[in-house]
Each structure stands twice: as structure tokens, then as C-alpha cells.
Amino acid sequence: MAAAGGGGAAAGRAYSFKVVLLGEGCVGKTSLVLRYCENKFNDKHITTLQASFLTKKLNIGGKRVNLAIWDTAGQERFHALGPIYYRDSNGAILVYDITDEDSFQKVKNWVKELRKMLGNEICLCIVGNKIDLERERHVSIQEAESYAESVGAKHYHTSAKQNKGIEELFLDLCKRMIETAQVDERAKGNGSSQPGTTRRGVQIIDDEPQAQSGGGGCCSSG
Amino acid sequence: MSLKSERRGIHVDQSELLCKKGCGYYGNSAWQGFCSKCWREEYHRARQKQIQEDWELAERLQREEEEAFASSQSNQGAQSLTFSKFEEKKTNEKTRKVTTVKKFFSASSRVGSKKEIPEVKAPSPSINRQTSIETDRVSKEFIEFLKTYHKTGQEIYKQTKLFLEAMHYKRELSIEEQSEFTQDFYQNMAERMQTRGKVPPERVEKIMDQIEKYIMTRLYKHVFCPETTDDEKKDLAIQKRIRALHWVTPQMLCVPVNEEIPEVSDMVVKAITDIIEMDSKRVPRDKLGCITRCSQHIFTAIRITKSEPASADDFLPTLIYIVLKGNPPRLQSNIQYITRFCNPSRLMTGEDGYYFTNLCCAVAFIEKLDAQSLNLSQEDFDRYMSGQTSPRKQESEAWSPGACLGVKQMYKNLDLLSQLNERQERIMSEAKKLEKDLIDWTDGIAKEVQDIVEKYPLDIKPPNQPLAAIDSENVENDKLPPPLQPQVYAG
């Protein structure tokens, strides 16, 4: 738990965040991350072998962030495996297709599940993808946005095809995760100096002079 | 260099640094003052002695037991019973050790589920020795590695040693407590290095990897699949489950991999080999490495088939398929071991962690798999599970026995043979029919003839007045001139 938070208080240490990507098959999850990490869409020249685990390094206001994006299998038959994927994650991006009402219902299910399992520590983003197909929209903007607000998530509109809204989505999410991590750190900082409050401390004996003679045998032969 | 200047203050006699055996080489406190060669000899001798002693003790105990039995009971049957029990226990122990190694060696050759190898064979003495040699080698590498870090290195070495000693006394505790203790150690070490040693984060990661390698090589034997847990039972359960699911086809799982392409089937075989190899590694990180390599082969296979980067929607089903085909040994034990003793920072966010999570998902899916998750009807699922029918027989044409060309050829030939058989039978039956027809026909003709003969019986009246009778009624016969007589004229 402490390691996943990854929030390094010390300057120079990077935050590392785990973000899970949830959404039914065909809503464009893969296109979304490929557009973000490789800036390519349906391209023959995509260099990456896979789009299921991607990383991105960011610098937000002088704070370094390592983002690890975990894609999840969206088929119905794998739905029960969700908790294995999203445990210890800092953020979740829930993608639906604006032309597909069902995919939005799926998002609602996931939100319920995530809140139940992870509480409010996780930053949720609900993303309506494929806004280039605005004419075929089946999920109303108002409904989606008011729903997002009601569950404490942010709503975004994106188009992986036209590269719209994706950069903002990830940047916003990172900022929110940094905030959460900082709040977390402060809370922990009050309690003890060590971030791992749940862990029992190992006794580390600090006796420099003995260390020298103890390690003498192994180091002198070199 | 800086190391030497640092400890100018300590006076150590040259002789104290030399090997205790006096061979002239330098000794090492890690080897109780011996040089590496002498230490190995000494260690080996002590081990041999221990084995010998154990053997003697066992023999003595057995003798005593036999005597006790002989004196208390005259029943001979009971005596042989205890002895056989003792023997049984011993062989059990032996087989357990051997199967591990066997499993690894048989790994690459096995495709799909295979039966257990309950063969009893004496453990080769090299197994024990190899373990200690490997431990030695890892220790040496660890020390060499730490040397480059000078003072920090010494400190790390000391802490690691202390940790190992502490772990030794915790062996009786539950595995969860041991795991937590180890995790605490990882975390504290990493933090200490960063805050006190001022080691840059990338270096910390490297050192942590080495620490993990060192301690886990040593602890492996005691904390992998420990007897206090039911890991072994779970291993057997999942193994059995996978074996029962041998009929699952790639089509049922919607695996986006076409094994008819030779490169793809090659990748599939490699992925299976990697996942099976996981069991042979001792260090959690090396085990993770096997999973990662397996995943990369899967990605290559998907890429060749689909010519686009694989998403999780493609990856997970394929991984499930690979696990089903490979049936990796001690799957649950390995997963538990990695979860308990891997450096958490690697497991939580790194790429290795992602693939490991997927493997956990694959196992969870296999455990809970039902008719619905394969898009089958409940009856079909039950029939396949009970082994009554196999989906392969039904769709032998659509199904490609992914294994290799030879097997495919075999299936084709079998098909051909069954077709030939059918034709042969048809010919035989037609020939029989023809024969019967012929017989019927002859009978029919005979009968017809008979009928006709019966209907029109052939009455042959005896000739009562032959020839003369013809013109007997001719009254005027007498009036006819006599027939001409031939006359001869002399020429």
C-alpha cells in the first residue's frame, strides 16, 4: 500500500502512479493510450509490441511523475477479475463510447465497484470517447456529466481519432493524484516519519565501528 | 583505495587474514575464516559427516524399534510393518525432492496436460551439492557487488546478515509473519540507503535487486511451499483442474492467435516453455522474469497474427490459453512465493508486476471457469468435463491441432483412414447385395421356369404309327403311280 502511493516527499524523488484503464471492448481504450503515449492512431508504424502496459514520464510544475497505465480485459467474461487489476491503483480511467448506451451502463457498474473496494482514495475519470461521431451520440452529455459529478468523478470528452481532449485528461488526472498523494503524506507525516505506518519497523542496528571490522574479511582480499 | 585509507586505524595481523587451514590464501569471515576452497571442502565434509550421522541414528533407532518389537511381541507381521512404514516414509521424501527436478527437465517436451511421474528413484547426490554451490556463487557475487559501494556496501552486508540470522529464528513462525518481516526489511533497507546513504534512486533499485537475490537464494528452501500452508494442496488442485480442461480450444477463449502460421506456433511454444521454467528459478525476480518473457512471446504471436499492438483484451485470453496448454508445475506455490517475498516496489507498479497480475487473473479465471465463460451450453460443458465427448471430434475440420505439423498430418491421415474404411464397408455390403441379387435372380428364373413347366406340362405322346400313319387315311394311294425308280444309263 505504501509503495503504491509512491509519493516521495523528498525533492528529486519521482511520484509513481498506477492508473487502470477500464471499459468494454471496442470503446477505444487501446486507441486512447496509444494516442497518448505514441501519438498515433490506427497506424502501421506503431513501434510498441503491445498496448496493454504503457508508461509515460511527466513533469508537472517541477514534480516528476512516472505514470504506469494498466489496460484491463474488457470482455464480460473477465468482469469478475477486476479487483485483481485495480487494487493498489491511484487512478482509474473509465471509458465509454458515446454512441453506445450499454458501454455507459458498464461504466456505472465499475464506478460502484471501485468505490466499494477502494473508497475515495482513487481518482476517477469518466471518459466519453469517439466524439468525432457526435451525430450518432446515444449518451447525453448532461446525463453523463451529472452522473460523474454525483459519484465524485471528473468527466471528459475525447477523440482518439482526432486527438482531442486526451492530453488534458491525463494531465488533469496526474494533478489530482499528486494532490491526493500529498494529502496522504501529510497525514502520515504527522503520525510518524516513516511512510509505511502499517509495517512494523525492522530493527536496524547502527554501529559503524563494528561494521568496519566485520566486513574486513571480505573487502581486504580485493 | 578509499577503503584502505579509512581503516588505517585498525591493526590486523597478517596471519589473522589468512585461511585457518594455512593453505596460504586469504580467509573470509563469511566462511568462518577459511578461504573459499578450504571452506567448500570443510563444508562438504561436515555435510557428509552429518548425513552419515543421520543415517547411523536412523539405523540405530530402527534397530531399537525392531528389538523392542521383537521382545514385546512375537508377532513377526508387526515388525515388518514398521519397517515398511519407515521405508515408505523415506521413499516419499526422496520422490518429493526428485520430482521438482524432473518437472523442470520434462518441461520443454510436454505440451498440454501430462500425468504425474510417480517414479521412485534415489536422489542423485549432486542435487544437494549443487544447491550449496549455487548459494556460494550467489554469496560471492553479492560480496563482489557490494565492494563497489565501499562503506555503504559493508553496512548493507551487515544488515543483510543480521536479517538472515533473525529469519533463522523465525522459521517456526507462520509464513505470513515471515513474509511481513521480509517486506519490512526491503522497505527499511531502501529507505535507509536513500536517506542516510544518499544513494540515488536508480542505484537503490539495483542494490535492492542484489539483496533480494542474495537473501532469497538462501531462504528459498524454507519459505517456498512451506509445509505449514496448504500451498501444495492448491498446486495439485489447479493442476488437476487444468488437466480436466484439456478440451478447451482457442476458439472458445477467443484467442487472437493463429497457430497455423509457423512463426506464431513457434512463439506459443516459447511462451509455454518460459512459463514452465518459472518453477526452476529461486529468486522471485527471476521468476517474474520468466513471466515477462512469456508475455513478450505472447505479444509477438498476437502481433504477427493481427498486425497491431496487443491490448489487454487480446493478451489475457492468450495467457489463459498458454497456462492451460502448459500446465506449469507448482503454479500456486510460485504465485504465493512471489507475492510474499518479492520486493514490493517491483510488484506493484512495474511492468513485471503487470504481467504477474495478469497471471493471477488467468489462474483465478481458470479456477472459476464455467460454461458461460466459454459461451457453451451447460450440457455441452458437462459432457466435455466428464470426458464423454470432445469438441475436437465434432469440429475436426475447423479445429487445427496447434501442436505441430506431424500431429496435423496424423489427424488428416486418421480422417482419410476412416473415410477409406467407410468406403470399404460400402463396397463390401454392395458386393453382398449383388451376390444376393444374383442368387435371387437365378432362383427366380428357376422358379419361373418351373411355373411355366407346371402350367404347360410337356406331354410327349409316343409315336404309335410312325410315318405310315400320315397317309394311312389316303384311300387313293393305290391309284398313284409307283414311285420313280432310278435308272442307270450307260454313258
Side-chain angles (χ1 to χ4, degrees):
Chain A
M1 281 153 273
R13 234 174 103 180
Y15 290 93
S16 48
F17 293 127
K18 169 181 162 183
V19 175
V20 283
L21 205 58
L22 298 163
E24 212 182 24
C26 304
V27 296
K29 281 180 297 172
T30 316
S31 305
L32 206 74
V33 271
L34 279 177
R35 174 60 94 182
Y36 180 60
C37 296
E38 295 249 325
N39 197 16
K40 279 172 187 155
F41 181 80
N42 265 355
D43 200 321
K44 284 254 167 3
H45 306 289
I46 290 172
T47 50
T48 173
L49 189 59
Q50 44 93 7
S52 53
F53 177 87
L54 291 169
T55 54
K56 180 112 177 168
K57 284 190 162 111
L58 292 147
N59 195 325
I60 301 170
K63 296 184 188 78
R64 281 188 295 135
V65 175
N66 292 328
L67 205 60
I69 305 165
W70 291 38
D71 190 11
T72 62
Q75 295 96 316
E76 182 58 43
R77 58 169 86 168
F78 300 129
H79 186 91
L81 305 173
I84 307 178
Y85 277 117
Y86 53 65
R87 72 173 164 215
D88 297 318
S89 51
N90 307 86
I93 297 174
L94 302 122
V95 190
Y96 70 91
D97 178 351
I98 60 159
T99 67
D100 182 359
E101 171 72 31
D102 281 350
S103 70
F104 185 63
Q105 289 305 323
K106 268 280 183 54
V107 164
K108 286 183 175 175
N109 290 344
W110 262 304
V111 169
K112 258 185 236 155
E113 230 181 88
L114 281 163
R115 284 289 181 226
K116 205 172 97 195
M117 309 289 283
L118 299 173
N120 286 323
E121 287 204 353
I122 188 164
C123 302
L124 298 185
C125 297
I126 296 175
V127 176
N129 192 29
K130 304 195 187 176
I131 51 164
D132 45 290
L133 301 173
E134 186 62 47
R135 274 174 301 163
E136 295 163 48
R137 179 184 274 281
H138 278 100
V139 181
S140 91
I141 302 179
Q142 263 185 339
E143 190 200 336
E145 282 181 345
S146 64
Y147 172 74
E149 211 184 323
S150 71
V151 293
K154 283 237 178 167
H155 190 275
Y156 302 87
H157 283 107
T158 60
S159 164
K161 193 174 177 184
Q162 297 171 346
N163 195 9
K164 275 188 189 157
I166 294 169
E167 204 69 41
E168 294 90 318
L169 157 71
F170 281 95
L171 196 67
D172 237 35
L173 175 62
C174 283
K175 282 181 186 162
R176 279 165 64 207
M177 287 191 295
I178 292 173
E179 269 171 40
T180 315
Q182 280 172 341
V183 170
D184 235 37
E185 251 162 47
R186 254 173 269 147
K188 274 173 188 163
N190 293 338
S192 77
S193 57
Q194 288 188 351
T197 44
T198 47
R199 296 223 168 277
R200 291 176 295 111
V202 116
Q203 276 221 319
I204 293 190
I205 301 130
D206 205 3
D207 41 1
E208 298 273 296
Q210 276 179 37
Q212 280 189 353
S213 58
C218 70
C219 294
S220 60
S221 59
Chain B
M1 294 299 116
S2 62
L3 202 70
K4 265 192 184 144
S5 57
E6 256 169 36
R7 60 165 101 97
R8 238 179 306 173
I10 309 166
H11 295 283
V12 186
D13 195 40
Q14 179 80 0
S15 63
E16 275 174 42
L17 293 174
L18 290 174
C19 172
K20 274 201 322 205
K21 235 186 167 183
C23 63
Y25 286 94
Y26 282 107
N28 186 334
S29 63
W31 298 316
Q32 295 172 4
F34 290 101
C35 74
S36 63
K37 196 164 169 285
C38 295
W39 165 242
R40 202 173 300 155
E41 277 169 17
E42 199 66 28
Y43 181 69
H44 191 62
R45 195 174 307 141
R47 221 190 150 78
Q48 284 297 323
K49 210 173 137 202
Q50 174 103 39
I51 291 167
Q52 184 66 30
E53 273 171 14
D54 285 356
W55 173 246
E56 273 165 15
L57 183 72
E59 255 188 340
R60 209 182 65 226
L61 283 175
Q62 196 197 326
R63 248 198 326 271
E64 276 170 17
E65 208 170 31
E66 274 173 41
E67 272 163 19
F69 258 95
S71 61
S72 67
Q73 302 177 288
S74 51
N75 195 341
Q76 290 292 312
Q79 189 187 333
S80 63
L81 191 75
T82 30
F83 179 70
S84 69
K85 253 188 190 165
F86 179 73
E87 277 286 301
E88 196 182 309
K89 207 176 154 197
K90 238 173 47 186
T91 41
N92 271 348
E93 260 173 34
K94 281 177 187 171
T95 22
R96 242 186 91 183
K97 274 184 196 159
V98 175
T99 38
T100 338
V101 181
K102 274 241 178 89
K103 268 177 191 159
F104 169 55
F105 280 116
S106 63
S108 52
S109 62
R110 60 196 255 162
V111 176
S113 50
K114 277 264 169 78
K115 69 265 163 204
E116 278 266 70
I117 318 156
E119 225 180 294
V120 180
K121 209 172 131 193
S124 76
S126 66
I127 294 172
N128 280 328
R129 202 165 57 224
Q130 224 161 20
T131 309
S132 68
I133 286 173
E134 196 186 327
T135 317
D136 278 354
R137 187 178 53 79
V138 171
S139 308
K140 224 181 274 175
E141 276 172 13
F142 185 55
I143 291 164
E144 281 296 319
F145 171 79
L146 287 180
K147 266 184 202 168
T148 53
Y149 289 91
H150 309 302
K151 213 171 143 195
T152 320
Q154 283 178 41
E155 178 64 18
I156 292 167
Y157 186 71
K158 193 168 148 46
Q159 296 298 343
T160 314
K161 269 275 176 222
L162 282 171
F163 166 74
L164 282 176
E165 266 166 44
M167 273 303 272
H168 185 80
Y169 293 109
K170 285 185 193 293
R171 245 175 231 173
E172 302 305 315
L173 292 180
S174 76
I175 196 73
E176 273 68 37
E177 279 171 279
Q178 292 187 48
S179 153
E180 200 174 313
F181 188 66
T182 314
Q183 302 284 350
D184 282 343
F185 171 71
Y186 284 137
Q187 203 180 336
N188 284 319
M189 282 304 275
E191 254 176 50
R192 251 172 94 86
M193 271 187 264
Q194 239 157 17
T195 51
R196 287 206 214 169
K198 300 271 179 285
V199 184
E202 311 84 60
R203 284 259 196 92
V204 171
E205 210 163 286
K206 238 173 151 184
I207 299 174
M208 287 311 292
D209 286 347
Q210 291 296 325
I211 293 175
E212 182 189 323
K213 188 174 167 191
Y214 177 67
I215 61 169
M216 289 327 294
T217 313
R218 285 171 172 260
L219 294 173
Y220 177 79
K221 220 163 79 188
H222 307 289
V223 296
F224 183 86
C225 188
E227 275 154 24
T228 50
T229 63
D230 57 352
D231 287 359
E232 194 174 356
K233 219 196 278 167
K234 284 191 201 150
D235 283 339
L236 293 175
I238 188 86
Q239 205 169 11
K240 214 172 134 200
R241 173 85 177 152
I242 292 175
R243 232 176 280 163
L245 289 168
H246 65 91
W247 47 268
V248 175
T249 64
Q251 283 77 27
M252 290 176 190
L253 289 166
C254 307
V255 174
V257 158
N258 183 2
E259 285 182 84
E260 269 167 32
I261 305 167
E263 291 106 313
V264 174
S265 73
D266 213 40
M267 285 299 144
V268 168
V269 170
K270 277 184 182 157
I272 292 173
T273 316
D274 286 329
I275 198 74
I276 289 172
E277 201 189 335
M278 174 177 71
D279 186 52
S280 70
K281 304 286 184 207
R282 278 213 214 165
V283 184
R285 195 166 62 98
D286 293 347
K287 286 186 189 287
L288 283 180
C290 290
I291 301 173
T292 304
R293 273 201 303 282
C294 167
S295 306
Q296 259 139 19
H297 284 134
I298 291 174
F299 288 134
T300 315
I302 297 173
R303 176 101 214 204
I304 297 169
T305 313
K306 285 183 73 178
S307 63
E308 58 181 70
S311 68
D313 293 355
D314 305 322
F315 174 59
L316 184 62
T318 318
L319 183 66
I320 292 168
Y321 175 60
I322 295 289
V323 172
L324 281 177
K325 260 190 115 174
N327 201 353
R330 300 200 286 182
L331 194 53
Q332 293 281 13
S333 285
N334 277 299
I335 289 176
Q336 290 296 335
Y337 175 71
I338 293 171
T339 320
R340 286 171 189 149
F341 294 102
C342 190
N343 188 356
S345 67
R346 181 172 294 279
L347 211 52
M348 303 277 195
T349 43
E351 190 170 6
D352 290 343
Y354 178 73
Y355 301 134
F356 178 69
T357 305
N358 271 288
L359 181 66
C360 295
C361 286
V363 172
F365 181 79
I366 290 169
E367 276 174 342
K368 296 212 181 80
L369 188 145
D370 57 15
Q372 210 187 351
S373 46
L374 293 174
N375 291 332
L376 291 173
S377 70
Q378 190 61 45
E379 300 101 68
D380 276 349
F381 183 80
D382 290 341
R383 269 192 301 143
Y384 297 150
M385 275 310 259
S386 62
Q388 279 174 357
T389 45
S390 155
R392 282 171 198 185
K393 240 180 231 164
Q394 288 168 15
E395 27 180 291
S396 61
E397 252 140 75
W399 182 73
S400 58
C404 61
L405 286 172
V407 175
K408 262 187 222 169
Q409 187 66 47
M410 194 186 76
Y411 275 97
K412 242 184 235 164
N413 289 345
L414 275 177
D415 233 31
L416 211 65
L417 277 176
S418 68
Q419 274 175 24
L420 279 176
N421 192 27
E422 221 170 82
R423 277 162 73 176
Q424 170 89 10
E425 265 164 24
R426 211 163 52 222
I427 288 172
M428 276 310 281
S429 73
E430 263 166 28
K432 283 233 176 76
K433 196 164 160 260
L434 186 65
E435 193 188 16
K436 195 170 160 281
D437 280 357
L438 276 174
I439 292 168
D440 282 358
W441 186 72
T442 7
D443 285 356
I445 295 289
K447 194 164 170 284
E448 238 168 77
V449 171
Q450 192 72 33
D451 283 354
I452 288 168
V453 168
E454 262 168 36
K455 208 168 174 184
Y456 309 102
L458 186 63
D459 271 344
I460 300 170
K461 288 170 190 158
N464 28 14
Q465 274 173 335
L467 287 174
I470 295 172
D471 32 30
S472 61
E473 284 155 53
N474 224 328
V475 203
E476 283 164 88
N477 254 4
D478 305 331
K479 285 172 192 167
L480 285 171
L484 288 171
Q485 293 298 321
Q487 284 177 340
V488 180
Y489 294 94

